Amino acid sequence: MVYMTGGSISYPSGAFDRSTGWNDDVNIVNGLGYYEEYHQLVADYLGEFFDYITEANPCFAEIKANCSFNESTRMATVSVHGRISPDFDLMVGDDAKLTVYLTEDSLTARQLDNGTWISNYVHNGVFRMALGSVMGEDLNRFGGQYKNVYRFQVPSGWNWHNLNVVAFISRPLSNYVNGFTDMAVNNADKFKFQISDAVEEIETDPNAVPVSYYDITGHQYDTLQQGINIVKMSDGTTRKVFVK
């Protein structure tokens, strides 16, 4: 997001691990622009690579999610949760972050392809918004588990059928100016919304207390600030608080 919102015009592209490979000195992928006859070869190669990574760096926390959408109010509730391994702090770090993005598939818009504009190109996995901070946030942990809850209203122009909740756990983003070091993703998953016509009720703890405060840009503060505050509670829920 730092690069995409820096004021310059850029076009989306994809790459997996541009600079390192099996032995940390091999460029495994420079981009995803391969001729069709090489698609299966590249897919097989990347499959082997990901299998190797999975074996070498197993997941130390589950990622599950309950994603519900109310068509009448267009309110969505996303609860990301799971068990945490006793080795999580040692192998991943007690400062690890949970990042949750909302993406949308099947958006038709123009696309620049080798210097030629395609008018009705279908774009999938288009970033819509971050649930919480775009840089990730702390896992709300309790008794060997965690649960982070998000509630928001889906804009009328977004098709909820095509929305995806993408959640992953990683080391914190420590230095986005000089390079992405120490940014291995421990695990990730994608979830779809299920319809819910009932009035949404979020599980809350009557004894929950505030644990962190954010402004609408995701900047964290020690106390409430003037304006709109996003307050994270100890039970995993969030609240909006306005201070005059």
Side-chain angles (χ1 to χ4, degrees):
M1 291 305 298
V2 173
Y3 293 113
M4 293 183 69
T5 60
S8 62
I9 298 175
S10 60
Y11 301 105
S13 60
F16 293 99
D17 202 349
R18 286 179 180 268
S19 60
T20 60
W22 299 92
N23 54 4
D24 291 336
D25 60 7
V26 179
N27 239 348
I28 62 165
V29 179
N30 288 323
L32 298 183
Y34 292 98
Y35 291 111
E36 186 173 357
E37 58 266 32
Y38 300 120
H39 285 184
Q40 189 58 51
L41 180 65
V42 173
D44 292 342
Y45 178 74
L46 289 177
E48 292 178 3
F49 178 76
F50 293 141
D51 288 343
Y52 166 79
I53 292 297
T54 299
E55 182 178 352
N57 185 25
C59 141
F60 292 96
E62 292 179 319
I63 289 187
K64 299 180 178 180
N66 299 325
C67 309
S68 62
F69 178 77
N70 187 304
E71 286 187 307
S72 300
T73 62
R74 296 194 66 81
M75 291 301 299
T77 301
V78 175
S79 172
V80 182
H81 55 92
R83 294 174 298 175
I84 299 176
S85 165
D87 296 323
F88 183 86
D89 289 352
L90 175 65
M91 303 302 295
V92 183
D94 59 3
D95 59 344
K97 300 294 183 181
L98 171 69
T99 305
V100 186
Y101 292 158
L102 192 68
T103 68
E104 186 172 353
D105 296 333
S106 302
L107 293 176
T108 302
R110 67 176 189 161
Q111 167 76 16
L112 186 63
D113 184 13
N114 293 323
T116 301
W117 284 104
I118 302 174
S119 299
N120 296 316
Y121 190 89
V122 178
H123 298 260
N124 293 316
V126 177
F127 179 88
R128 279 301 199 181
M129 65 182 294
L131 307 186
S133 171
V134 72
M135 300 297 187
E137 56 190 5
D138 294 337
L139 284 74
N140 291 310
R141 300 169 61 168
F142 56 96
Q145 303 180 59
Y146 74 93
K147 182 173 73 170
N148 290 44
V149 181
Y150 311 88
R151 193 165 188 262
F152 58 96
Q153 190 165 35
V154 177
S156 58
W158 299 3
N159 186 341
W160 75 270
H161 295 280
N162 297 331
L163 293 178
N164 310 294
V165 173
V166 181
F168 61 91
I169 295 174
S170 70
R171 300 285 303 129
L173 182 58
S174 56
N175 187 346
Y176 56 83
V177 176
N178 297 321
F180 292 90
T181 60
D182 193 29
M183 270 299 292
V185 173
N186 186 241
N187 55 337
D189 212 336
K190 182 173 71 172
F191 307 91
K192 302 295 290 187
F193 282 93
Q194 301 294 324
I195 192 66
S196 172
D197 293 324
V199 175
E200 306 254 4
E201 293 187 3
I202 302 177
E203 296 180 20
T204 58
D205 179 357
N207 299 316
V209 296
V211 294
S212 54
Y213 306 90
Y214 301 86
D215 63 18
I216 58 175
T217 67
H219 186 82
Q220 185 172 358
Y221 295 93
D222 293 330
T223 59
L224 291 171
Q225 304 294 307
Q226 188 174 16
I228 298 176
N229 296 263
I230 308 298
V231 182
K232 299 284 294 184
M233 307 298 291
S234 57
D235 62 355
T237 60
T238 59
R239 302 176 185 178
K240 281 187 179 180
V241 177
F242 179 75
V243 177
K244 293 184 178 181

